[in-house]
């Protein structure tokens, strides 16, 4: 990345002058720098600033920047000492489970079973900690399940903190460079996921900056890189990469068709700038990327990238919670909003050129409440262009109502159990798996299901990540977890499958069971193993609860193919006879169906001037685009990959 640091030092000099006037001398400022999308003021005595509750707010108003105050690294107590001190200050009843330090931001993360006791009455205990150790304490409730992914991400950020701070400073200087010209035009280019599902990638360009939204891989088309990867051959994209001009990448959500190609950019050193996304999306996408290359390896295919490239993704990610507004380029301001699709999924809102134009890009979204999430946000401060998904945008794409879908699911399960069969539910590790878990859990609690529910593939680890971010879950779940003290994810009816031997035992046992396994479209992963062995027995059932893409085994079986040649052990092709019951229940989808898509437009405030439909089979993108135009009189388009549209 070429840092365009034009006049940053001049800009900083002016800022320093303002700050030294407003901040009391006792604070003892040692450094002022841009770090990522914020301005950081290092001081020897943070309390002198904190005493005045309005000071930071006023500074932010005057400087029009997000401001962080951090203790100068010199005054930080060494981590071992700080840890001892914290344990002395906090009462043992708080049950601290871990204390970890992030030197790149001067933060200490305290995980406790009773976080309230770490904070203390009116924040007293917390204040005492700050005074004694000088690290900025951040307190979170200990997640009930241990996530290996979260643990290793934290480790990486801690050990790489020096590099990380250097990186954040470079990013900051790039964001706050003096723009060469006033923003005059804006265009977007489809690099993937236009009139198709898979490899989502959209380039937003102005005469000043370049930002990429999503960078996915189409795993159903991996044999043909021309179809599986975003368009590296698009001239403007090549130019931006070669010249190192890409300011940022924003990831809407963790699914591989939106995030799966990110590590590839680091493998071939095509990008080394910032990735913006929510904390749960960072964790989930890392999990899915790791799972993806492991499955490639197991299938004897050369993986697209290496674990160390995923590590680079972690090092380059800057997380934002919903609603936090951040500058990401001299003329672009980013906010992420709940999309209701999977944990951490967001609608990307870009404010461009100081009032010039506002774009919202929905990514995948859901507009009715589900068991896991609130519906997508439909109100924005300003909005001129909406780019929306069309997965179920066809005029007949009506999903079953939720209650009916749940009833059907339970029915098929009961029928299968009654005849002593097993139910296989292929599901993506993230999203449908947890949604189905919550349905089954409720029925199990009222005595409706008594057989074990096995979770195979990455589902258990993904569930652990869900339990680490309860604030991203639906109000109903949050209430259950926080007020009633009951966490449905922890119901003992759920049994993670640890290895292939346990998997074989489950298949061989004569007992009925429910198995939720990855991958969701029967493209590699344990679901294929179960399918091969359970398919011939008519006692068993398979239930599809999610989208089956063209070209996948899932789609073939769903369409009614009953004799399927599959490569078995030793590379021999065997024909699998499908005698099991095959059912599709579409009401659980994490995507808005046709009705929701239309009602989303009706409820959208403000009403945009232009709507662009993407992420759907060609006729669905076109159908949705035409229908919206007819119904609302809004200008619409359903562009192709490689089409560029000028927005301003
Ligand atoms: Zn998705």
């Amino acid at each position: 990345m070429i840092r365009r640091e034009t006049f940053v030092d001049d800009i900083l000099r002016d800022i320093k002058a303002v700050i030294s006037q407003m901040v009391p001398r006792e604070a003892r400022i040692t450094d002022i720098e841009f770090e990522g999308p914020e301005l950081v003021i290092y001081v020897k005595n943070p309390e002198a600033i904190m005493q005045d509750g309005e000071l930071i707010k006023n500074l932010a108003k005057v400087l029009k920047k997000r401001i962080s105050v951090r203790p100068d690294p010199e005054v930080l107590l060494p981590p071992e000492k700080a840890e001892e001190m914290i344990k002395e200050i906090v009462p043992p009843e708080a049950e601290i489970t871990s204390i970890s330090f992030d030197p790149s931001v001067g933060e200490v993360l305290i995980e406790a079973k009773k976080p309230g006791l770490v904070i203390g009455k009116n924040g007293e205990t917390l204040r005492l900690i700050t005074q004694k150790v000088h690290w900025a304490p951040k307190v979170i409730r200990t997640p009930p399940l241990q996530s290996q992914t979260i643990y290793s991400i934290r480790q990486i950020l801690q050990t790489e903190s020096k590099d990380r701070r250097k990186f954040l400073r470079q990013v900051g200087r790039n964001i706050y460079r003096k723009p060469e010209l006033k923003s005059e035009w804006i265009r977007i280019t489809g690099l993937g996921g236009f009139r198709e599902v898979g490899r989502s990638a959209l380039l937003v360009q102005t005469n000043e900056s370049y930002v990429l939204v999503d960078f996915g891989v189409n795993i159903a088309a991996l044999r043909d890189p021309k179809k599986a990867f975003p368009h590296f051959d698009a001239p403007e994209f090549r130019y931006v990469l070669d010249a190192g001009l890409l300011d940022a990448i924003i990831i809407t959500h963790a699914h591989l068709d939106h995030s799966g190609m990110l590590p590839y950019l680091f493998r071939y050193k095509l990008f080394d700038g910032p990735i913006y996304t929510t904390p749960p999306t960072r964790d989930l996408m890392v999990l899915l990327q790791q799972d993806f290359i492991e499955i490639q390896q197991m299938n004897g295919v050369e993986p697209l990238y290496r674990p160390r490239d995923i590590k680079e993704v972690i090092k380059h990610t800057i997380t934002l919670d919903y609603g936090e507004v951040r500058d990401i380029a001299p003329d672009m301001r980013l906010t992420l909003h709940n999309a209701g699709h999977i944990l951490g999924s967001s609608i990307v809102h870009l404010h461009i050129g100081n009032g010039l134009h506002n774009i919202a890009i929905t990514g995948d979204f859901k507009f009715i409440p589900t068991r896991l999430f609130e519906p997508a946000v439909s109100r924005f401060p300003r909005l001129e262009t909406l780019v929306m998904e069309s997965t179920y945008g066809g005029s007949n794409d009506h999903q079953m109502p939720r209650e009916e879908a749940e009833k059907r699911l339970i029915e098929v399960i009961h029928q299968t159990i009654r005849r002593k069969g097993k139910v296989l539910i292929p599901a993506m590790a993230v999203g449908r798996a947890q949604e189905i878990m919550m349905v089954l859990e409720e029925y199990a609690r009222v005595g409706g299901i008594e057989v074990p529910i096995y979770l195979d593939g990455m589902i258990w680890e993904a569930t652990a990540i869900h339990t680490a971010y309860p604030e991203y879950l639906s109000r109903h779940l949050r209430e259950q977890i926080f007020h009633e003290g009951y966490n449905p994810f922890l119901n003992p009816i759920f049994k993670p499958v640890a290895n292939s031997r346990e998997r074989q035992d489950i298949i061989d046992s004569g007992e009925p069971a429910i198995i939720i396994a990855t991958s969701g479209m029967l493209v590699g992963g344990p679901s294929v193993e179960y399918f091969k062995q359970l398919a011939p027995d008519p006692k068993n059932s398979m239930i599809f609860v999610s989208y089956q893409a063209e070209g996948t085994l899932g789609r073939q079986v769903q369409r009614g193919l009953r004799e399927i040649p599959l490569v078995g052990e030793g590379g021999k092709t065997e024909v699998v006879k499908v005698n099991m019951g095959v059912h599709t229940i579409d009401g659980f989808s994490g995507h808005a169906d046709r009705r929701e898509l239309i009602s989303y437009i009706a409820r959208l405030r403000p009403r945009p001037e232009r709507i662009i439909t993407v992420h759907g089979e060609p006729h669905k993108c076109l159908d949705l685009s035409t229908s919206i135009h007819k119904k609302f009189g809004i200008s619409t388009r359903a562009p192709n990959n490689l089409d560029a549209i000028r927005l301003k």
Side-chain angles (χ1 to χ4, degrees), residues 69-86:
V69 175
R70 290 198 197 130
D72 183 281
E74 266 186 29
V75 304
L76 297 176
L77 215 59
E80 313 78 54
K81 284 229 174 93
E83 186 166 340
E84 263 173 44
M85 185 69 83
I86 292 169

Side-chain angles (χ1 to χ4, degrees), residues 253 255 257-258 341 364 591:
H253 69 285
H255 282 150
D257 59 329
H258 295 258
H341 171 63
D364 297 357
H591 295 273

Side-chain angles (χ1 to χ4, degrees), residues 353-385:
N354 212 0
L356 183 68
H357 201 78
N358 293 269
I359 316 174
I361 299 155
T362 65
D364 297 357
F365 77 104
K366 183 85 188 155
F367 198 47
I368 56 166
T370 59
R371 284 185 179 258
L372 291 172
F373 309 111
E374 297 297 318
V377 163
S378 58
R379 275 164 201 275
F380 302 94
R382 291 187 56 181
L383 183 64
E384 282 85 30
T385 298

Side-chain angles (χ1 to χ4, degrees), residues 370-374 431 434-435 438 472-474 477 489:
T370 59
R371 284 185 179 258
L372 291 172
F373 309 111
E374 297 297 318
Q434 288 75 26
E435 185 74 19
M438 289 302 94
Y472 279 79
L473 298 170
S474 69
L477 273 177
F489 289 111

Side-chain angles (χ1 to χ4, degrees), residues 575-586:
V575 174
V576 174
K577 282 215 160 87
V578 185
N579 299 322
M580 74 198 312
V582 176
H583 308 264
T584 297
I585 304 177
D586 61 13

Side-chain angles (χ1 to χ4, degrees), residues 97-98 111 142-151 154 460-461 464-465 467:
T97 50
S98 107
E111 259 187 17
T142 307
L145 300 174
Q146 282 295 319
S147 157
Q148 186 54 46
T149 315
I150 293 180
Y151 176 76
R154 241 182 242 163
W460 190 246
E461 176 62 17
I465 296 175
T467 67

Side-chain angles (χ1 to χ4, degrees), residues 334-349:
L334 164 70
T335 320
L336 302 175
H337 298 276
N338 172 39
H341 171 63
I342 60 168
L343 187 75
S345 65
S346 359
I347 295 181
V348 168
H349 183 274

Side-chain angles (χ1 to χ4, degrees), residues 485-505:
Y486 175 74
N487 191 329
F489 289 111
L490 307 180
N491 190 319
I493 198 167
F494 299 122
K495 300 187 189 312
V497 180
N499 51 43
S500 53
R501 188 179 309 142
E502 278 186 34
R503 182 177 310 144
Q504 198 55 47
D505 287 346

